[in-house]
């Protein structure tokens, strides 16, 4: 409810969409969560944490190929910019690769 209230005030705030998506995902509202996270990714300019959260979610709902593509994006970006290791670990964890995470 607080995320929705925040987004009424600032609909373009990517972090509001990201936190809403995480809350929805934990409530098992998967389609809504994925839509909110996709908005967060777009609004944030593909911020590593938003991309990682989307990848982790996709992996956990069986959309492994899409999650792998986002993991590859993060790993590729890490060659030329700072990508927090936690972001990469988030997708590995979603894919069930605990050792890599």
């Amino acid at each position: 409810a607080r995320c929705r209230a925040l987004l009424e005030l600032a609909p373009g705030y990517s972090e509001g969409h990201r936190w809403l998506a995480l809350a929805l995902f934990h409530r098992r509202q998967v389609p809504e969560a994925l839509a909110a996270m996709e908005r967060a990714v777009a609004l944030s300019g593909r911020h590593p944490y938003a991309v990682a959260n989307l990848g982790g979610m996709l992996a956990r709902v069986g959309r492994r190929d899409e999650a792998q593509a986002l993991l590859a994006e993060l790993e590729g970006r890490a060659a030329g910019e700072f990508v927090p290791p936690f972001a990469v670990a988030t997708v590995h964890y979603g894919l069930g690769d605990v050792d890599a995470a």
Side-chain angles (χ1 to χ4, degrees):
R2 293 191 188 270
C3 289
R4 291 187 195 282
L6 168 66
L7 291 171
E8 283 183 30
L9 296 172
Y13 182 50
S14 65
E15 281 294 286
H17 290 282
R18 189 169 79 88
W19 284 104
L20 174 62
L22 293 169
L24 290 168
F25 193 78
H26 287 289
R27 293 185 68 163
R28 293 180 174 86
Q29 295 176 260
V30 174
E32 298 91 343
L34 291 174
M37 193 60 75
E38 288 169 355
R39 280 192 299 280
V41 169
L43 289 169
S44 71
R46 302 193 71 76
H47 188 281
Y49 284 136
V51 172
N53 287 145
L54 179 58
M57 287 178 175
L58 289 169
R60 283 186 254 151
V61 298
R63 293 168 60 179
R64 296 181 60 82
D65 290 343
E66 293 168 86
Q68 289 282 4
L70 292 174
L71 177 60
E73 174 189 333
L74 291 171
E75 291 174 336
R77 288 172 58 184
E81 66 183 85
F82 178 71
V83 173
F86 183 76
V88 175
T90 297
V91 185
H92 278 296
Y93 184 78
L95 288 164
D97 191 351
V98 177
D99 291 335

